[in-house]
Amino acid sequence: MKITYIHHSTFCVELEGKVFVFDYYNGKGLPGCEYHGKIPEYPKDTPIYVFASHSHRDHFHAEVLEWSRRYSQIHYIFAKEVRRKLGNSVLKRMGFDETIKGKIIYVKAGEKYGFEDVTVETLISTDSGVAFLVTVGGKVIYHAGDLNWWQWEGETEEFNRHQEKVYKEQIDILADRKPDVSFVVVDPRQERDKFLGIDYFLQQVETGYVIPMHLWKQYHLIEEYRSRAEHEKDQARILLFEQENQSMVLE
């Protein structure tokens, strides 16, 4: 399995002759945090699966549809809410006819979908859209999207309790799944609570590797987390991606 960090929450996973792209956006439009990562190029007949967990501008950009002009075996797996961003007028403006719609499937939370030898399961997000659990060739990949324990200073106690409840319910679903690779949110904007989500994830889920994401370029937080005494047993499986287009090959 080869993993390439593009930027923010965007990753390419190469596995079993296929490519899985998660939550691509073009790196622009967020004040003070611009990215320049690029999707690698692959042979034109490569099976490509493009996932969008939700429609937030740091997780989705319609540019991904342009890739269908190059790759003949491309599949789009978008959360249902993305449909609102891709109305007929948008597709027409991009120069697409009705055939592009046949390449897109819109998914909702709590469902299971099959694509030949690829299985996609979805979880409820604590923010918007879904999280993905993808199985191919006996390997399992988890991508959280914005599923996280979003506890915020200034929010109501009711809001924060609800976030905790839903997050724990969804992560507990993964407890017996043993994903090989898990992409998990660590958001510095949560300040002292930024590690709540990944802490609970590692307590509950037996994952091969975990990759912190959604870091807003504050990559030092990965090493900060790994270096804590209570995480000593997890150090080897917490992977450090700290620059755009960095790749790792995992056994």
Side-chain angles (χ1 to χ4, degrees):
M1 183 188 301
K2 180 179 180 180
I3 298 175
T4 302
Y5 167 62
I6 307 305
H7 47 233
H8 200 49
S9 298
T10 308
F11 289 85
C12 289
V13 179
E14 300 174 40
L15 179 63
E16 296 288 317
K18 301 174 176 61
V19 176
F20 303 87
V21 182
F22 293 95
D23 280 16
Y24 173 84
Y25 88 108
N26 65 359
K28 301 175 182 177
L30 299 175
C33 194
E34 185 167 318
Y35 294 96
H36 304 280
K38 300 294 182 184
I39 297 292
E41 287 196 0
Y42 301 100
K44 293 182 179 181
D45 60 350
T46 302
I48 308 238
Y49 296 80
V50 182
F51 296 84
S53 65
H54 60 295
S55 62
H56 289 175
R57 61 181 178 176
D58 62 325
H59 289 262
F60 173 75
H61 196 283
E63 177 184 315
V64 298
L65 297 179
E66 298 286 357
W67 304 346
S68 67
R69 305 187 196 279
R70 173 179 175 84
Y71 299 108
S72 59
Q73 297 188 63
I74 195 163
H75 310 269
Y76 296 101
I77 301 96
F78 295 161
K80 286 185 68 175
E81 65 169 58
V82 175
R83 188 195 296 266
R84 292 194 294 270
K85 283 200 170 183
L86 292 178
N88 290 333
S89 60
V90 174
L91 297 176
K92 186 175 181 180
R93 188 165 62 248
M94 295 179 69
F96 290 108
D97 58 25
E98 290 292 312
T99 59
I100 189 64
K101 294 182 179 180
K103 299 179 182 293
I104 304 171
I105 181 170
Y106 294 99
V107 301
K108 60 182 182 179
E111 299 289 339
K112 186 174 183 178
Y113 304 85
F115 303 86
E116 297 179 352
D117 58 344
V118 177
T119 301
V120 177
E121 297 167 78
T122 54
L123 301 177
I124 297 169
S125 177
T126 45
D127 187 5
S128 185
V130 302
F132 292 110
L133 195 67
V134 181
T135 303
V136 57
K139 299 291 187 181
V140 180
I141 305 162
Y142 167 69
H143 190 282
D146 265 353
L147 172 56
N148 185 35
W149 186 340
W150 295 110
Q151 181 159 298
W152 298 101
E153 292 285 343
E155 284 288 354
T156 65
E157 184 178 344
E158 181 183 10
F159 173 89
N160 285 328
R161 280 202 310 266
H162 179 73
Q163 285 285 315
E164 177 181 357
K165 176 179 181 292
V166 176
Y167 183 73
K168 287 182 174 180
E169 287 174 348
Q170 295 305 296
I171 298 308
D172 289 352
I173 292 172
L174 302 176
D176 62 349
R177 298 303 303 272
K178 299 182 180 180
D180 295 275
V181 175
S182 300
F183 300 95
V184 179
V185 175
V186 173
D187 194 313
R189 299 174 301 173
Q190 288 184 270
E191 299 179 342
R192 68 180 184 181
D193 295 318
K194 58 185 172 289
F195 296 135
L196 274 179
I198 193 170
D199 273 345
Y200 187 78
F201 185 89
L202 286 173
Q203 290 164 14
Q204 300 299 115
V205 181
E206 187 179 337
T207 185
Y209 297 97
V210 63
I211 299 172
M213 64 177 188
H214 211 268
L215 292 155
W216 304 101
K217 291 191 173 183
Q218 295 193 37
Y219 303 116
H220 66 278
L221 293 177
I222 303 176
E223 193 55 48
E224 176 186 326
Y225 188 76
R226 289 173 52 173
S227 64
R228 291 185 174 186
E230 64 266 33
H231 301 138
E232 183 177 359
K233 64 181 177 62
D234 295 315
Q235 276 190 6
R237 61 177 177 153
I238 302 171
L239 301 185
L240 177 60
F241 284 87
E242 55 187 344
Q243 61 184 16
E244 295 163 33
N245 284 106
Q246 178 184 351
S247 293
M248 291 187 189
V249 176
L250 307 180
E251 296 298 329

